[in-house]
Amino acid sequence: MARHAALLLTCWLALLAPALAGAQELRVTSGQSLQQTLALARPGDTVSVPAGTYHGALAVPASGITMVGVGRPVLDGDGRGTVVLVVGHNVTLKGFRITNSGKSPYGDDSGVKFMNTSGCVLEDNVIDGVFHGVFLQNSPGNTIRGNRITGAAPPGAYEGWGDGVHAWKSSDNRLSANRVSHFRDGFYLEFAANTVIDGNSSFDNRRYGLHFMFMDDSRFLRNEFRQNQAGTVLMYSKRILVENNTFRDNRGPVGAGLLFRDNSDSVVRNNRIIHNTVGLFMDGASRNRIEGNLLAGNGWGLQLYASSIGNSLAGNTFFANDYEVAVDMRDSRNRLQGNYWSGYRGYDLKGSGRGDTPYSPVSLFSFLAMQFPDLYAFAGSPAIRALEFAARLLPALSPSTLRDEHPLMHPGRTNYGQG
């Protein structure tokens, strides 16, 4: 048996040797364009690009090649179309500055565009002055890692601008450790199931830090979404995991740190949701588990609509939000179970760490404001404070049956986005 295994290994190495021997390193030389050098590359080859500026659009048609920039060479699209178009499989692009794409939304002008390809790696590049940063179209199974991607959308721009990373019908991709800013959306992903978004920072975008639709079985881990119109808008998806992320200082017209719309059977766990207009917004969200999160310093800790049912909120810390929970229905089909509320004034005679009396986090004003949004203008006014005082004295004025039967006496101990 050992002789057979050795024979098979010898035959395999013999078959592989010509391919390995054929791999070579190609260098761009004076008098030869980068595109001409790429035309000579074969699977397994490495194209080494020295420092300098290379003008015009670049196409990478061959599969299995590696392009490495030495000294951060500049690929300049001269303001027309896409700078780098990758159509070969298993292509690696590393160490470049990619800049100055066209600005047309009709051609999806991009710094780097992957079309109908897979197995590619885009790593350690600076991408700036572009309409879309990275565009994936019908391109599954790629890795976008460690890039700094900066758009050209001016302050106040909302529509008509591109996205930092845009994926369309591209599943099973991994987007890790990228810094994305100054686009319409930092990340826009649609029909891209099984995507992993891990360790990214998305900030100062004109609309959303992350926007996705139809993203079943995707994972969002250890990211930071800050100072966008809204941190993250997650829609029309099932079985997603949102864990150890930070959503902070998202205070635009939408203003949600984390917006959950028409998502089901998902887990939101150990996230920091702080200083947003709305911490967590849930509409059409069903059978989700919201566990161990910190919601602090938001205008509204949680906005929960009647279309959301069967959700469980347990072990979360609601601290110093202007309004802890707002609902638009009196009877809720959701469950609060052992959360910490900084507004709770109950007691724990048993020493169990949980309050002996239930807590109703829905104030009369937050309930009315969900019905009549114009009332938001009166938040914090003397009239509203008087209304809240009357509601505390008269339990009959309690607007909702939603309550935490045994709230925590102390904030929960969780990772809160660390890891």
Side-chain angles (χ1 to χ4, degrees):
M1 179 65 71
R3 287 199 303 273
H4 288 302
L7 180 60
L8 287 172
L9 178 60
T10 301
C11 293
W12 181 79
L13 290 173
L15 291 171
L16 185 62
L20 294 175
Q24 59 182 321
E25 181 177 352
L26 305 177
R27 294 179 179 273
V28 180
T29 60
S30 60
Q32 185 180 53
S33 72
L34 178 52
Q35 188 68 72
Q36 288 171 330
T37 305
L38 282 174
L40 300 174
R42 298 293 178 265
D45 287 352
T46 296
V47 177
S48 181
V49 183
T53 300
Y54 301 83
H55 288 276
L58 186 70
V60 187
S63 295
I65 69 170
T66 298
M67 286 182 58
V68 178
V70 180
R72 193 73 70 186
V74 177
L75 307 180
D76 190 327
D78 292 328
R80 295 190 295 271
T82 288
V83 183
V84 181
L85 174 63
V86 179
V87 294
H89 298 281
N90 303 307
V91 170
T92 295
L93 187 66
K94 181 177 181 179
F96 294 89
R97 180 186 173 202
I98 300 166
T99 188
N100 201 12
S101 76
K103 302 298 187 291
S104 171
Y106 304 107
D108 294 319
D109 292 346
S110 308
V112 182
K113 183 185 292 185
F114 296 91
M115 291 191 65
N116 307 310
T117 186
S118 62
C120 296
V121 177
L122 182 69
E123 182 177 17
D124 186 30
N125 299 283
V126 174
I127 303 173
D128 59 15
V130 291
F131 185 74
H132 293 295
V134 180
F135 196 101
L136 298 114
Q137 180 174 325
N138 295 314
S139 294
N142 303 286
T143 298
I144 313 298
R145 178 175 57 220
N147 303 283
R148 190 164 74 247
I149 308 172
T150 307
Y158 194 79
E159 298 294 342
W161 293 90
D163 307 309
V165 178
H166 186 116
W168 167 257
K169 291 188 176 180
S170 299
S171 61
D172 300 288
N173 288 297
R174 183 160 197 139
L175 315 175
S176 301
N178 301 286
R179 289 174 56 85
V180 183
S181 64
H182 296 91
F183 289 94
R184 179 187 62 167
D185 296 341
F187 296 84
Y188 181 94
L189 314 171
E190 192 168 4
F191 298 105
N194 297 297
T195 293
V196 177
I197 301 181
D198 181 15
N200 302 279
S201 179
S202 181
F203 59 96
D204 286 337
N205 295 291
R206 305 317 181 199
R207 190 171 68 167
Y208 308 145
L210 166 66
H211 184 196
F212 82 61
M213 294 180 282
F214 309 106
M215 295 283 293
D216 294 354
D217 302 298
S218 292
R219 291 180 290 161
F220 305 88
L221 313 169
R222 295 178 291 275
N223 303 285
E224 181 185 48
F225 303 99
R226 59 180 168 85
Q227 295 176 322
N228 307 286
Q229 294 279 344
T232 300
V233 176
L234 313 183
M235 305 171 67
Y236 312 127
S237 303
K238 296 178 289 186
R239 299 179 303 277
I240 61 176
L241 174 64
V242 182
E243 186 172 37
N244 288 343
N245 303 279
T246 297
F247 308 88
R248 66 179 178 91
D249 299 309
N250 301 287
R251 292 186 172 275
V254 178
L258 175 58
L259 188 151
F260 237 49
R261 173 165 285 162
D262 295 302
N263 298 307
S264 61
D265 303 301
S266 299
V267 176
V268 178
R269 181 168 56 210
N270 289 352
N271 300 283
R272 291 166 50 92
I273 307 174
I274 56 178
H275 301 153
N276 307 283
T277 303
V278 179
L280 175 60
F281 177 103
M282 300 182 71
D283 185 8
S286 302
R287 303 181 304 279
N288 300 292
R289 291 159 45 202
I290 315 298
E291 303 173 343
N293 303 283
L294 171 66
L295 298 98
N298 303 288
W300 308 83
L302 167 66
Q303 286 189 343
L304 185 64
Y305 281 81
S307 55
S308 297
I309 61 174
N311 299 290
S312 171
L313 290 90
N316 302 286
T317 294
F318 288 80
F319 185 83
N321 301 291
D322 292 341
Y323 298 95
E324 292 168 321
V325 178
V327 298
D328 65 341
M329 67 296 193
R330 176 170 173 77
D331 296 317
S332 175
R333 297 173 62 185
N334 301 283
R335 185 181 185 189
L336 302 177
Q337 182 180 11
N339 301 279
Y340 174 81
W341 310 90
S342 59
Y344 180 56
R345 297 294 180 265
Y347 45 84
D348 176 22
L349 297 180
K350 301 176 183 177
S352 65
R354 294 177 179 264
D356 295 336
T357 58
Y359 179 63
S360 299
V362 182
S363 70
L364 182 56
F365 172 73
S366 66
F367 178 79
L368 292 173
M370 288 282 277
Q371 321 297 319
F372 308 102
D374 289 345
L375 290 177
Y376 289 155
F378 298 97
S381 68
I384 296 304
R385 288 198 295 270
L387 180 66
E388 298 292 352
F389 180 74
R392 287 194 296 271
L393 293 179
L394 301 171
L397 294 178
S398 177
S400 173
T401 60
L402 185 67
R403 63 183 190 175
D404 195 328
E405 294 293 336
H406 297 287
L408 296 177
M409 297 300 297
H410 304 285
R413 297 178 179 178
T414 72
N415 291 327
Y416 289 152
Q418 305 301 313

